[in-house]
Amino acid sequence: MTIRAVVWGENIHERTNEVVAGIYPEGMHTTIAKALSADKAIAASTATLEQPEHGLPDSRLAETDVLVWWGHKDHGAVADDVVERVARRVWEGMGLIVLHSGHFSKIFKRLMGTPCTLKWREAGERERLWVTSPNHPIAEGIGEFFELENEEMYGEQFAVPEPLETVFISWFQGGEVFRSGLTYRRGAGNVFYFRPGHETYPTYHDATVHKVLRNAVKWAHNPQGKAKILDAPNVSVEKALEPIEERGPKLHAHGEAGFR
């Protein structure tokens, strides 16, 4: 089965900043999508902020197995109704990979339920990413560590919930460390946060980063299909598994939907 991935990009810096445009003339989203599609098991397309419904109408999300998210400059411009429909699809089983500054995206904060704050410094430091969970599928074929010569520093404390697993920890030249590869489960959906990807550096041209992203898409994919976890049925007395007698007052009539 081919995994249907959509790479969502804010696509602002690529159009307004000469440095970023020089590194990613087709946009970071296109660069990432091409790297994913180099694996025959993945078919990747793109969506951007400026498109109608940010390129993510219900019909497209329904056909998306894994969504990859990169945003930075204008998280607030993402419509709340789009955020909610993405969250709903994650709960139903769609995978989500959040990259770099996407830690402040509405969708990541919505799913984490925390501020997702951190320390940062933009100085082009060397980043060494240590593999802390070598048997995890996302780390397959990576080795003990890999390095990026120039990156933005992110430092602890990273205000996110305790992850299921920490796959990578980063060290920076300035001395800070950061949990840079974290996995979560939200509803039936697998979520992976991956730290590298500052737009003024060629991170998404790096072959090892490509491998991590392809591994992550395969890990995040839930082949079981759409989970029915959003229903909240009112189960009548007559449908109880064991015979029971209805006792005491109640708010809802038989079969009536509950309050939300």
Side-chain angles (χ1 to χ4, degrees):
M1 175 185 290
T2 301
I3 301 172
R4 301 165 298 180
V6 173
V7 181
W8 190 90
E10 195 178 66
N11 196 33
I12 294 177
H13 296 289
E14 299 97 314
R15 294 182 290 123
T16 60
N17 184 285
E18 292 184 2
V19 173
V20 181
I23 299 171
Y24 300 106
E26 296 180 286
M28 283 179 285
H29 52 289
T30 302
T31 301
I32 295 169
K34 286 183 176 180
L36 295 179
S37 294
D39 190 315
K40 294 181 179 179
I42 304 171
S45 58
T46 65
T48 56
L49 177 67
E50 71 270 17
Q51 294 175 332
E53 299 185 77
H54 312 318
L56 300 174
D58 280 318
S59 58
R60 189 175 191 192
L61 285 173
E63 298 178 349
T64 300
D65 297 315
V66 179
L67 178 63
V68 182
W69 192 281
W70 193 101
H72 190 188
K73 187 175 182 179
D74 204 0
H75 297 305
V78 178
D80 290 341
D81 61 335
V82 174
V83 174
E84 289 305 308
R85 75 176 62 148
V86 171
R88 183 171 63 250
R89 280 291 293 123
V90 172
W91 296 330
E92 292 172 344
M94 182 184 74
L96 177 67
I97 299 172
V98 176
L99 302 175
H100 190 59
S101 46
H103 69 91
F104 267 157
S105 64
K106 286 183 177 180
I107 183 58
F108 192 60
K109 291 195 292 184
R110 173 75 171 87
L111 294 172
M112 294 299 104
T114 57
C116 303
T117 50
L118 47 81
K119 296 176 183 176
W120 63 281
R121 179 173 57 243
E122 193 177 14
E125 299 169 57
R126 180 181 301 112
E127 178 180 5
R128 181 176 297 138
L129 292 100
W130 290 94
V131 176
T132 55
S133 185
N135 293 323
H136 198 284
I138 294 175
E140 182 180 354
I142 302 302
E144 190 176 14
F145 67 89
F146 69 97
E147 293 185 345
L148 298 169
E149 186 59 33
N150 300 108
E151 254 297 348
E152 180 182 20
M153 182 278 290
Y154 279 6
E156 295 289 345
Q157 182 187 12
F158 189 17
V160 291
E162 191 67 22
L164 291 175
E165 288 191 271
T166 300
V167 184
F168 302 106
I169 288 180
S170 290
W171 167 90
F172 296 89
Q173 280 184 282
E176 290 87 358
V177 296
F178 190 77
R179 292 168 292 160
S180 53
L182 306 178
T183 68
Y184 296 92
R185 173 67 69 85
R186 291 295 183 265
N190 295 315
V191 179
F192 179 57
Y193 173 77
F194 188 49
R195 196 221 71 83
H198 190 59
E199 56 269 32
T200 61
Y201 309 120
T203 299
Y204 295 124
H205 293 297
D206 184 88
T208 305
V209 170
H210 290 176
K211 187 167 186 60
V212 171
L213 294 177
R214 289 192 288 264
N215 287 349
V217 166
K218 293 176 181 178
W219 169 85
H221 177 223
N222 182 350
Q224 295 179 348
K226 185 177 180 180
K228 297 180 179 180
I229 65 169
L230 300 183
D231 296 333
N234 180 347
V235 181
S236 67
V237 171
E238 294 77 14
K239 293 183 178 180
L241 296 178
E242 303 292 341
I244 59 172
E245 178 183 345
E246 186 173 306
R247 300 183 297 176
K250 59 184 182 180
L251 292 174
H252 300 283
H254 290 296
E256 183 181 10
F259 302 123
R260 289 203 180 197

